[in-house]
Amino acid sequence: RAAHGHVEVVHGVSFSVGKGECVGLVGGSGSGKTTTGRCVTGLHSNASGSLLFEGHSMPFAVSSRSKADLSAMQIVFQNPDRSLNPKESIAQSIARAVRLTGLADRARVG
């Protein structure tokens, strides 16, 4: 337990994502995957530390982010019925998320 009644859930996380790369967080139940993803995408503002995006510091709170920053990243929540479907390629799984967010039209994505 940390000071002031806060509980440290995830600590010491550091990773880098290059332009055009896609990252998947993998780990056991309760390892902090969802919390980490929510912090990066601004859905969990009760965080500390630093978040750098394209060379600038980004606030944890989604309400404090610029429109450009908000449109630059997207979280794809796990859907147990469709995630890692052995009948689909990784490209098909990612294409579905891209279509749903409106980042590309069906003709471009497939």
Side-chain angles (χ1 to χ4, degrees), residues 21-61:
E21 290 182 337
C22 179
V23 171
L25 296 176
V26 180
S29 179
S31 64
K33 302 176 300 291
T34 299
T35 300
T36 300
R38 288 175 56 86
C39 287
V40 169
T41 57
L43 299 176
H44 185 80
S45 60
N46 190 13
S48 62
S50 61
L51 177 60
L52 295 176
F53 182 69
E54 295 187 341
H56 70 276
S57 181
M58 181 182 288
F60 282 105

